[in-house]
Amino acid sequence: MTDTTNDRLTLQHRAYRPDDLDTVVALHERAFAVLAKSHYSPDRIAAHTALVRDPAYAEELARSHLRLAFERPGVLAATAGWIRVPGLAPGVPKTARIRKVFVDPRFARRGIARWMVSDTERRAWKQGCRAFIVRVTVNAVPLYEKLGYEATGDATMLTSTGADLPVVLMARTTPPAALAEEPKSLD
Ligand SMILES: CC(C)(COP(=O)(O)OP(=O)(O)OC[C@H]1O[C@@H](n2cnc3c(N)ncnc32)[C@H](O)[C@@H]1OP(=O)(O)O)[C@@H](O)C(=O)NCCC(=O)NCCS
């Protein structure tokens, strides 16, 4: 567990464990339903709910270097993770794909996602990744623009319901932003 002060919030964060599954799925379902409804129709929100409830999603979480941030013990505020993917371009051999960035609507717009993505990038950077890509749902594009990502194309996130989700492909090849403080890892 790590403590870090985030404006008015003191977040505690640690690595994901398999017994976190239900809590994480509930957060992902709720965050998208509330915070993405301005950009996605109800059938697409329902498709996202089906996606996160699918057993395959649990496998994705387990291999995504996922970190959990708690507002206080037992109150999950946010998640973020990454996986290594094939190089973005020749000469940029190690690329991290940022994923599973979700913030509890009660704690939205307080800089948590910005902090979580930067922390995730720094962890991937320590593993040798020198480029970052992300498939961004349309509602989250301003977050990644603020973090210096640029759009590289459009794509579709396929879902089991057939109500597929349009997403924006974004990338950045500059180092992660410096954090206000270097978190002390206790896990
Ligand atoms: C997208 C999401 C992760 C942002 O989390 P957050 O903690 O509220 O974001 P932050 O407070 O760190 O915002 C950082 C910056 O991103 C931009 N931003 C974030 N949310 C925004 C919104 N709804 N509208 C416009 N800009 C937004 C702003 O520039 C913001 O800086 P500011 O508050 O100083 O203006 C959150 O809304 C969420 O969980 N959405 C549902 C799940 C999702 O879409 N995840 C992304 C999948 S790719």
Side-chain angles (χ1 to χ4, degrees), residues 8-121:
R8 297 136 288 180
L9 293 174
T10 298
L11 299 176
Q12 301 178 313
H13 53 107
R14 62 163 171 80
Y16 171 80
R17 302 187 299 239
D19 64 348
D20 294 315
L21 176 63
D22 290 348
T23 310
V24 168
V25 166
L27 171 67
H28 289 189
E29 180 179 332
R30 191 170 66 253
F32 197 77
V34 174
L35 297 170
K37 70 179 178 193
S38 51
H39 291 78
Y40 290 98
S41 60
D43 62 326
R44 286 180 161 144
I45 297 285
H48 184 268
T49 297
L51 190 76
V52 302
R53 290 182 180 177
D54 191 288
Y57 198 74
E59 293 167 26
E60 283 185 31
L61 295 176
R63 58 186 172 86
S64 292
H65 305 95
L66 197 71
R67 301 283 300 177
L68 276 55
F70 294 87
E71 190 262 344
R72 56 184 181 274
V75 180
L76 181 62
T79 69
W82 67 279
I83 53 170
R84 199 186 293 276
V85 293
L88 188 63
V92 187
K94 291 186 177 174
T95 297
R97 179 174 146 202
I98 306 297
R99 62 194 329 216
K100 313 302 183 201
V101 179
F102 290 84
V103 171
D104 186 308
R106 290 175 293 171
F107 308 119
R109 297 306 291 267
R110 297 172 81 169
I112 294 180
R114 203 172 168 191
W115 190 92
M116 291 291 284
V117 173
S118 295
D119 180 64
T120 301
E121 291 171 346

